[in-house]
Amino acid sequence: MIIQSLETPTEQTKFIVPQGATCFAYEPSKELLVSGGPDCDLRLWDIHRPEKPTVTLVGHTASITFLFVQDAGEKIYSMDQKKILKVWDVRNRVLLQTFSQFSTVLAKALPACAYYNERDRELVVASNKLFVVACCPAIALDRTDGDSHTKPVSVLLYNSLYKLIVSCAFDSFIIVWDHKMNRKMTIISEAHTQTKNGVQIPVEITAACFDEKQQLLLTGARDGSLKIWNISARTCVRSFHMEEDSEVTAVFWQGNRILAMGWNHRVVEFAAFSENDDYPRGLQWRKLHSDDILCAAVSGSLPGVMATCSYTGELVLWMLETGQPYRRYDAANPRSRIPIQLHPEESVGQKTRKIAPRRSIFQLSADQFLQRRLSRIVMPSGLEQMRLLSIQALLFLPTRPMSASFGTLLGSLDNGIVQVWSHHPDGEFVGQFNAVHMAGDRVLAMTSDAANRFLFTGTALGYIKTWYIENRWIPDEETFRVNKPWLRILFPFLLHDVIPGRAKRSVRVQPKPWLVNSYQGHRSCITGLVYLDGSELLLSSSSDRTIRLWTLGGRYIGLLGSPVHWEPLSASLPPSDGYRFRVPPDLQREVSFTTVKVLNGGNDDHHGHRLKTTIPRVGTKEHSKHTQPMQTYGEALREPILNSGVLKLPSKEPILRDIKLERFLPRIPVHGHMVDFPVKPLVYDRKVESILERTKSLKFMEPPTEREE
């Protein structure tokens, strides 16, 4: 390849490409040159150093015939002779996506030509058919900040070792984020795949967790597959299955053991490393659930306890050391315990629980199967009536001791209620509270800070709520003192409202736990919450394919993966008061005034400006219609208000007319706009003399003299 200047033809820059180049693209803003050839490799060149390429991207299996650069050199699109299109990330030097639809639809024997329209950001491919494909369409930043994933986000984790965020989604992508700089550190595409009809398709990731050293990542998918990843090297260390076609809903890494559960109705234990695995197919724990396991949680205190909940509301507490259950509850009747038989064969003749009949997933259509499988994201109306008392999320409070007098386990129900239990063997149901303020809403995600002072909940309608729970479900609850002035400074939600919103009205009869913050963070349901204690940041993931950053008080910082960047954040300090906070563009138009107040940090000028058009001015006819008379002892004031015999009210001043000066003249005739006031002479009245004489006749006490003092 040769680059020649049009002004000085003698100046040439030669690039030596093995086997030649069939296509190339140039980005002048970054002086980036990309070439592709028959050797199936993409080469990135610096035009000032033509000796060798700076980066070589390998991934194609046929000669590259077409390529183009997008977003000022951030992405590269390349197509080979097999009509397979690949998308590359230039900054991270990794493959983002592979599109093989062209190879299955277009004729293999015929060559294909392509053209990229930069204005519409569309790729046109022509062979025996003509295709127009949108390539990362431009984002309307006045309506949205973009997306973090291409499909709903299912898992959101924080790695305390590397201080990075890890997210997994239904697009089978694992992305490692540097949330402080809004930068993608690692991208793993097609993490879980399966082959159907000879075509390899990605599988949705439904659960994930880290090992105790925070170095390895364990992921579980919809088809029951489990994989261990080295996220720093982007390699899969181990792959195994829990059960075929059985969705994994929760995974935990405890020491050298891996616990997986899901649609198989039971907990399966694996060895963390294959050389120590005596049970390659997993060791199945005792079956105590009559339906699919929806959620689970592990306590951080000793002894280790795991809680699992099924589709029908059965809550089972397990000892992690022995794998034996010791308590069993029902969400419909939490105050009573379900007995656990010591021997499974003893429960053969007992009466089983009646549950609603369910169809097999293999008897459902494609759309119905998708809705059943993604039950945390979309809930059909038919299944909604069958899940009124199932638990959607579980959370342990690790700082609280394992005592019968402490509430340590929280579970959210489908009706918006959060129940609290004590996971002590002698413990029981402690209490419950309503965690939603909208009809049909429910809590899908919960998390807490390290000290368990605050409880953060995310609902199906996209609301994020913060509860103060430090003084709740403890023995000395009544004597615990709360620093309320500090909380009012920290949370703008607690500022006084002339008209309280629905969130405040819903907790009037519920003084504890204290609701300290409530705002709408997403347009769709929230699937994950992560709180960072050092920087006091809250991250939320949603089925709207976004991951957003919030402060503890509810101020919006930004969206991971958005082209709108923000100021660098600190890992140990919260954002300062002068930080440039924003309001999400998709939440600027259709949110409540409570959300507007929280997003603006207590400054509701923006919302007040919108209300000015609806409030009539004082003194107008519209105001007089809406003004109610003042009430005094149940009756309206009557004229005259004061006794005219004692004090006469002054006459009202005449109403001045509006004066409009004629500004187009060189001189303004002010005398023509003067107003004449009616002047009345003072009238001498004899009644005034009689009042003065009677006043003088009264004997008032004279002031004391200096001698008397």
Side-chain angles (χ1 to χ4, degrees):
M1 293 188 302
I2 298 176
I3 296 180
Q4 181 176 349
S5 176
L6 297 178
E7 298 178 355
T8 56
T10 58
E11 294 184 3
Q12 293 182 352
T13 304
K14 296 182 180 180
F15 301 87
I16 300 176
V17 183
Q19 301 183 17
T22 56
C23 56
F24 69 92
Y26 178 66
E27 176 57 40
S29 62
K30 294 186 177 181
E31 297 183 346
L32 175 66
L33 178 64
V34 186
S35 64
D39 56 355
C40 311
D41 293 341
L42 280 176
R43 291 177 173 84
L44 279 65
W45 304 82
D46 184 357
I47 62 174
H48 300 290
R49 297 179 180 178
E51 295 83 11
K52 62 178 181 179
T54 57
V55 180
T56 301
L57 302 178
V58 181
H60 283 281
T61 58
S63 176
I64 301 174
T65 59
F66 180 75
L67 63 90
F68 62 92
V69 181
Q70 197 179 68
D71 296 337
E74 293 291 333
K75 297 178 183 177
I76 299 176
Y77 291 75
S78 59
M79 189 177 69
D80 57 18
Q81 285 184 347
K82 294 182 179 180
K83 305 174 184 63
I84 294 178
L85 183 67
K86 292 182 180 293
V87 185
W88 308 84
D89 186 358
V90 178
R91 179 183 300 177
N92 298 315
R93 303 175 184 181
V94 296
L95 177 65
L96 295 179
Q97 288 179 327
T98 300
F99 296 94
S100 59
Q101 287 81 359
F102 294 150
S103 61
T104 58
V105 177
L106 298 178
K108 297 182 179 180
L110 297 178
C113 58
Y115 171 76
Y116 175 64
N117 186 356
E118 294 184 1
R119 187 189 65 179
D120 299 333
R121 301 170 70 93
E122 293 179 345
L123 175 65
V124 183
V125 181
S127 181
N128 60 328
K129 296 180 181 180
L130 184 66
F131 283 91
V132 180
V133 181
C135 299
C136 292
I139 300 174
L141 297 180
D142 59 335
R143 296 193 299 268
T144 178
D145 278 348
D147 296 328
S148 303
H149 283 263
T150 58
K151 288 187 179 180
V153 184
S154 57
V155 181
L156 186 65
L157 301 173
Y158 176 68
N159 190 291
S160 58
L161 177 63
Y162 300 106
K163 300 186 183 303
L164 298 174
I165 298 295
V166 178
S167 63
C168 307
F170 287 162
D171 54 5
S172 194
F173 268 60
I174 302 174
I175 302 180
V176 181
W177 305 87
D178 182 5
H179 63 282
K180 300 180 291 296
M181 301 292 293
N182 188 19
R183 183 175 57 182
K184 296 179 182 178
M185 304 300 295
T186 303
I187 300 176
I188 302 176
S189 61
E190 297 182 355
H192 290 259
T193 58
Q194 63 180 357
T195 303
K196 287 188 176 181
N197 300 326
V199 180
Q200 194 175 27
I201 59 175
V203 181
E204 296 89 341
I205 300 176
T206 55
C209 71
F210 286 108
D211 66 330
E212 294 182 348
K213 297 182 179 180
Q214 301 282 305
Q215 295 180 349
L216 300 176
L217 176 67
L218 172 65
T219 58
R222 178 196 56 82
D223 61 346
S225 61
L226 298 167
K227 288 187 177 182
I228 300 176
W229 301 88
N230 185 346
I231 57 176
S232 59
R234 298 195 297 269
T235 57
C236 180
V237 179
R238 183 187 175 191
S239 178
F240 50 101
H241 268 76
M242 180 185 69
E243 187 175 336
E244 293 293 336
D245 295 328
S246 179
E247 179 179 328
V248 180
T249 57
V251 289
F252 301 102
W253 196 316
Q254 298 293 319
N256 294 327
R257 298 182 301 166
I258 292 177
L259 305 177
M261 60 217 72
W263 286 11
N264 57 345
H265 303 184
R266 64 175 70 221
V267 180
V268 183
E269 178 181 341
F270 298 91
F273 303 98
S274 57
E275 57 270 12
N276 301 327
D277 196 353
D278 297 333
Y279 300 91
R281 296 185 178 180
L283 177 62
Q284 295 186 354
W285 287 13
R286 183 178 173 184
K287 183 178 180 181
L288 288 180
H289 291 287
S290 59
D291 213 318
D292 301 344
I293 298 177
L294 290 185
C295 56
V298 173
S299 66
S301 59
L302 295 177
V305 176
M306 182 177 67
T308 58
C309 183
S310 67
Y311 189 89
T312 54
E314 299 168 333
L315 177 63
V316 181
L317 301 179
W318 309 78
M319 283 292 181
L320 286 177
E321 185 177 357
T322 60
Q324 297 296 324
Y326 67 94
R327 281 293 176 265
R328 191 180 181 190
Y329 299 96
D330 186 5
N333 189 12
R335 299 187 182 276
S336 62
R337 300 178 181 176
I338 301 176
I340 300 176
Q341 302 296 334
L342 297 179
H343 301 284
E345 57 272 8
E346 295 180 4
S347 60
V348 175
Q350 294 184 358
K351 184 178 179 180
T352 59
R353 294 186 60 198
K354 292 184 179 181
I355 60 175
R358 297 173 58 196
R359 299 173 59 186
S360 172
I361 59 175
F362 301 101
Q363 299 176 358
L364 301 177
S365 62
D367 296 339
Q368 294 175 341
F369 177 73
L370 183 64
Q371 292 177 345
R372 171 62 185 94
R373 174 164 45 87
L374 309 183
S375 58
R376 290 174 62 93
I377 307 301
V378 179
M379 177 52 55
S381 59
L383 295 178
E384 183 75 17
Q385 301 176 359
M386 300 163 53
R387 304 186 54 182
L388 294 179
L389 292 178
S390 63
I391 298 180
Q392 293 291 319
L394 290 172
L395 176 67
F396 276 99
L397 302 179
T399 59
R400 299 192 176 185
M402 187 177 179
S403 174
S405 57
F406 285 84
T408 54
L409 176 61
L410 287 79
S412 62
L413 303 183
D414 273 340
N415 55 5
I417 298 295
V418 175
Q419 295 180 347
V420 184
W421 290 273
S422 173
H423 71 282
H424 190 270
D426 295 334
E428 56 184 2
F429 176 75
V430 178
Q432 64 182 18
F433 65 97
N434 183 24
V436 297
H437 65 272
M438 298 288 289
D441 201 2
R442 72 193 71 177
V443 175
L444 297 181
M446 294 188 296
T447 188
S448 179
D449 59 331
N452 294 142
R453 291 182 302 172
F454 302 107
L455 171 67
F456 305 95
T457 59
T459 68
L461 297 182
Y463 286 92
I464 300 176
K465 293 178 179 290
T466 306
W467 309 82
Y468 187 77
I469 60 173
E470 190 177 12
N471 63 334
R472 198 71 174 101
W473 313 302
I474 57 177
D476 52 348
E477 181 175 334
E478 300 299 332
T479 60
F480 192 92
R481 294 184 178 180
V482 181
N483 190 355
K484 291 187 176 181
W486 171 71
L487 292 175
R488 289 190 176 95
I489 296 175
L490 191 60
F491 297 99
F493 172 81
L494 299 177
L495 298 178
H496 176 70
D497 294 326
V498 178
I499 303 175
R502 286 174 293 186
K504 288 186 177 181
R505 296 198 302 267
S506 63
V507 294
R508 282 178 175 175
V509 297
Q510 181 180 285
K512 293 182 180 181
W514 191 19
L515 178 64
V516 295
N517 205 2
S518 176
Y519 56 95
Q520 186 174 6
H522 295 268
R523 305 295 295 179
S524 186
C525 69
I526 296 175
T527 57
L529 291 173
V530 171
Y531 181 72
L532 310 181
D533 290 271
S535 55
E536 295 183 359
L537 296 178
L538 178 67
L539 289 91
S540 61
S541 62
S542 173
S543 61
D544 59 3
R545 309 183 298 275
T546 61
I547 302 173
R548 291 178 172 173
L549 276 75
W550 314 88
T551 63
L552 180 60
R555 304 299 300 274
Y556 176 65
I557 295 177
L559 185 145
L560 291 181
S562 172
V564 181
H565 295 275
W566 56 78
E567 299 178 10
L569 300 171
S570 174
S572 58
L573 296 175
S576 61
D577 296 336
Y579 193 87
R580 296 180 181 177
F581 297 105
R582 301 173 51 243
V583 176
D586 56 337
L587 300 178
Q588 288 182 351
R589 297 174 177 85
E590 299 178 0
V591 292
S592 63
F593 69 90
T594 302
T595 300
V596 173
K597 183 182 71 172
V598 173
L599 294 180
N600 287 279
N603 183 13
D604 55 353
D605 292 342
H606 172 75
H607 193 76
H609 177 71
R610 185 172 62 181
L611 294 178
K612 288 180 181 178
T613 58
T614 59
I615 300 177
R617 282 187 172 183
V618 178
T620 59
K621 294 182 179 180
E622 296 180 1
H623 182 269
S624 60
K625 294 179 181 178
H626 299 282
T627 303
Q628 298 180 357
M630 297 177 61
Q631 302 292 328
T632 303
Y633 298 105
E635 295 183 358
L637 297 177
R638 299 178 181 178
E639 293 289 346
I641 301 177
L642 297 178
N643 189 358
S644 58
V646 178
L647 178 64
K648 290 185 178 181
L649 297 177
S651 60
K652 296 181 180 180
E653 297 182 357
I655 300 176
L656 300 178
R657 60 183 177 86
D658 296 336
I659 299 176
K660 296 182 179 180
L661 300 178
E662 300 174 356
R663 299 183 179 180
F664 59 89
L665 297 176
R667 297 181 181 180
I668 301 175
V670 181
H671 63 275
H673 300 281
M674 296 180 65
V675 180
D676 297 332
F677 289 90
V679 180
K680 295 181 180 181
L682 295 177
V683 180
Y684 181 78
D685 194 356
R686 294 182 178 180
K687 294 182 178 180
V688 178
E689 290 185 357
S690 62
I691 293 175
L692 293 175
E693 293 178 355
R694 283 184 293 173
T695 303
K696 293 178 180 180
S697 62
L698 297 176
K699 296 181 180 180
F700 293 99
M701 182 178 179
E702 296 181 357
T705 61
E706 295 181 358
R707 296 179 180 179
E708 294 178 355
E709 292 179 357

